[in-house]
Amino acid sequence: MGYDFFQIQTEVKDLLNMTTAADQDFTDQQIKDAINISYKKEVTRGKQNGGRNWFRANLSFTWTSGSVTIALPAPAAGKEIISFSNITTTDPGEILQFSNEMSSGGDIFWLDNSTLQWGTDGPGSDQTIRITYWADADTLSTDGDEPYLIPTSLRQLLVLSAACY
């Protein structure tokens, strides 16, 4: 077990001298909210000032033969996309080149901000596509959730950041 949401909450409460007394300055929900806000801010700072490659994430999906359009899979929706690769026959595969508009020849383009289109007929056979994107901090909600974008050895940063917040 790593350094999870429950452990971070406990340490923030200890740092703030939070007890079970009825007249506390903070509620449990405020502590949780402060940790989530701090998590998102620290990840953003890490992306801006650190090695961005730590924050890369991959998601693969199958674009079925003859399907002209496909919705961007939910985990990648709204993310900063780095690339799309066709990994059907080889990995890492070839990076897909996008056209700006519909054309013949199987070019891929954005139909709208959440839908991709493969030419006018779709792929001739099932294709496995890998999306590489910049991951964002997920909201921590249950005690066992882990702030996976921050290495375990650095999660004390969340305790200090949340207490300051």
Side-chain angles (χ1 to χ4, degrees):
M1 180 167 107
Y3 199 5
D4 64 17
F5 192 34
F6 179 77
Q7 291 167 305
I8 295 168
Q9 290 174 67
T10 300
E11 289 190 30
V12 170
K13 290 174 184 179
D14 287 346
L15 193 59
L16 296 174
N17 280 333
M18 189 172 171
T19 65
T20 56
D23 61 348
Q24 288 298 299
D25 292 332
F26 306 102
T27 65
D28 286 338
Q29 190 58 52
Q30 287 173 315
I31 298 295
K32 291 177 182 183
D33 291 345
I35 293 167
N36 276 302
I37 289 167
S38 296
Y39 181 32
K40 288 173 180 29
K41 286 184 175 190
E42 295 302 336
V43 166
T44 298
R45 285 186 192 108
K47 285 182 190 177
Q48 293 170 339
N49 301 310
R52 284 182 59 103
N53 285 337
W54 174 265
F55 302 101
R56 282 181 181 240
N58 293 304
L59 169 70
S60 297
F61 68 94
T62 300
W63 196 324
T64 57
S65 174
S67 296
V68 177
T69 62
I70 192 166
L72 196 62
K79 303 288 193 239
E80 297 173 76
I81 295 175
I82 300 166
S83 66
F84 289 85
S85 300
N86 188 334
I87 60 170
T88 304
T89 58
T90 62
D91 193 354
E94 73 176 86
I95 298 209
L96 296 174
Q97 301 299 317
F98 281 69
S99 61
N100 292 327
E101 57 189 39
M102 182 172 30
S103 63
S104 60
D107 291 333
I108 298 171
F109 63 95
W110 288 98
L111 185 60
D112 58 37
N113 68 347
S114 63
T115 309
L116 297 168
Q117 183 164 333
W118 191 303
T120 56
D121 300 322
S125 61
D126 288 359
Q127 301 293 307
T128 303
I129 308 298
R130 175 184 292 142
I131 302 171
T132 302
Y133 61 93
W134 299 118
D136 291 322
D138 293 327
T139 300
L140 306 172
S141 57
T142 62
D143 288 346
D145 288 350
E146 295 210 20
Y148 73 95
L149 289 176
I150 296 180
T152 305
S153 62
L154 300 177
R155 291 183 185 169
Q156 183 67 27
L157 172 67
L158 289 180
V159 173
L160 299 173
S161 183
C164 289
Y165 181 80

